[in-house]
Amino acid sequence: MAGASTPAIRTLAKAGVAHRVHAYKHDPRADSYGIEAVDALAAEVGVTAAQIFKTLVIELSTGALAVAVLPVPNTLSLKAAAAALGAPKAAMADKAKAERITGYVLGGISPLGQRKLLPTVVDASALAWDRMLCSAGRRGLEIELAPTDLVRLTDAVTAPVTSV
């Protein structure tokens, strides 16, 4: 999408990372932002639902906020995410706190370009793909990039963090 700019897109451009931005019409009545992205983009971009990732903000039992990036169709294992980030437990972060710390609105939280770089875990399944999509920092906007670039730019750990 020409002219679209968010902190996430600017982060990729500044780092010289190859990426593509995909836009779709966001429906404010959508029940799930992730499913909406899958429905709008999977066939058009030529990816499977498992290549479109959602970004969830969690609160570790240490009190720190962190980010988990996982395929849209999957459910986050809070226990696995906490373990990957070196904490005993985790819970979903409060919506207002997540928006305040990342600088993004729910449904548009990107793992890139956040106000403060949070500890991040990317589900290990991402590494099976040559490309993945994640939020570009706005509802209705996704970034396509190499998973290795996402991991490098977010200083993420990779681990299986979905429920079996």
Side-chain angles (χ1 to χ4, degrees):
M1 178 174 172
S5 184
T6 65
I9 295 168
R10 289 192 294 275
T11 296
L12 290 170
K14 184 178 177 184
V17 170
H19 65 281
R20 290 181 59 203
V21 178
H22 301 281
Y24 60 92
K25 181 148 178 51
H26 164 63
D27 181 351
R29 299 166 303 184
D31 290 332
S32 164
Y33 301 113
I35 298 298
E36 180 184 39
V38 167
D39 290 346
L41 295 175
E44 179 185 319
V45 178
V47 296
T48 69
Q51 285 175 271
I52 301 178
F53 284 66
K54 57 189 170 187
T55 305
L56 302 177
V57 180
I58 59 176
E59 187 162 357
L60 302 174
S61 53
T62 60
L65 291 184
V67 173
V69 182
L70 63 149
V72 167
N74 297 61
T75 302
L76 177 65
S77 165
L78 288 164
K79 184 176 180 177
L85 295 167
K89 292 183 185 175
M92 293 303 298
D94 172 73
K95 174 188 171 184
K97 194 184 279 190
E99 291 180 339
R100 188 173 52 252
I101 197 92
T102 63
Y104 294 119
V105 297
L106 206 65
I109 294 177
S110 176
L112 296 160
Q114 297 177 1
R115 285 189 177 139
K116 177 184 178 201
L117 183 61
L118 298 174
T120 302
V121 60
V122 175
D123 186 68
S125 69
L127 300 178
W129 305 106
D130 61 341
R131 61 189 177 133
M132 65 181 288
L133 278 75
C134 65
S135 176
R138 188 180 309 149
R139 294 174 186 156
L141 208 57
E142 296 281 311
I143 301 169
E144 177 183 335
L145 75 164
T148 52
D149 287 330
L150 177 67
V151 169
R152 180 175 52 83
L153 291 174
T154 58
D155 198 23
V157 296
T158 57
V161 294
T162 59
S163 299
V164 179

